[in-house]
């Protein structure tokens, strides 16, 4: 995961780096655009045939994507439940049908046994002590 994070940071830094001016370009814009289009079409063709050449990599990537999707849905469901509790709305999740199909099973979705409400957690307001002038 560290490699992926490093790649993302370096990509972000590269995007914000200054580009050379048009005068500094050594390749003519017409030739550059033709070569960019050609390279892009060759890349699309190469990526399209990647799974036929490397089926194991595509299977692993599909597994990882499915796990990431399940984690994202689980996180969204937790955030929705937390927001519903904070607003005092009933705990009816629109993602209830997704919860039944969610492949990630953890113990954190058990109902809480706490009797505290949000109002109980907020301290009562007290007037500040007045300063005695002496």
């Amino acid at each position: 995961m560290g490699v992926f994070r490093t790649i993302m940071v370096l990509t972000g830094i590269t995007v914000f780096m200054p580009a050379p001016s048009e005068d500094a370009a050594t390749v003519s814009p017409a030739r550059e655009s033709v070569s960019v289009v050609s390279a892009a079409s060759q890349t699309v063709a190469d990526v399209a045939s990647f799974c036929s050449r490397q089926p194991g990599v595509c299977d692993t990537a599909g597994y990882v994507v499915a796990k990431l999707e399940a984690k994202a849905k689980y996180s969204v469901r937790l955030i929705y439940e937390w927001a519903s509790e904070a607003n005092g709305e009933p705990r009816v999740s629109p993602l209830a049908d997704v919860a039944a199909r969610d492949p990630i099973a953890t113990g954190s979705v058990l109902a809480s046994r706490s009797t505290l409400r949000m109002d109980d957690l907020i301290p009562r307001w007290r007037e500040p002590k007045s300063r005695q002038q002496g």
Side-chain angles (χ1 to χ4, degrees):
M1 201 61 174
V3 173
F4 181 70
R5 196 173 299 149
T6 303
I7 290 172
M8 293 301 293
V9 168
L10 291 177
T11 302
I13 290 171
T14 305
V15 166
F16 290 109
M17 292 177 93
S21 64
E22 295 295 326
D23 298 337
T26 58
V27 180
S28 68
R31 184 171 187 175
E32 183 178 325
S33 62
V34 170
S35 63
V36 168
V37 170
S38 173
S41 63
Q42 290 174 356
T43 302
V44 168
D46 186 46
V47 170
S49 66
F50 181 77
C51 285
S52 63
R53 290 178 289 149
Q54 300 286 337
V57 174
C58 287
D59 292 342
T60 304
Y63 175 78
V64 169
V65 167
K67 286 293 186 181
L68 289 175
E69 178 185 6
K71 285 176 104 177
K73 288 178 181 178
Y74 178 74
S75 299
V76 167
R77 186 173 60 243
L78 286 178
I79 291 170
Y80 179 80
E81 289 174 359
W82 173 78
S84 294
E85 288 176 3
N87 291 337
E89 296 176 6
R91 291 184 64 176
V92 177
S93 174
L95 304 174
D97 61 329
V98 175
R101 295 178 287 150
D102 194 359
I104 294 179
T106 64
S108 63
V109 293
L110 298 175
S112 174
R113 295 182 185 190
S114 175
T115 58
L116 291 176
R117 297 181 318 218
M118 281 304 269
D119 297 341
D120 298 330
L121 299 174
I122 300 172
R124 301 267 184 235
W125 182 84
R126 293 183 300 200
E127 185 175 351
K129 294 179 182 179
S130 62
R131 292 186 183 179
Q132 296 181 1
Q133 295 177 348

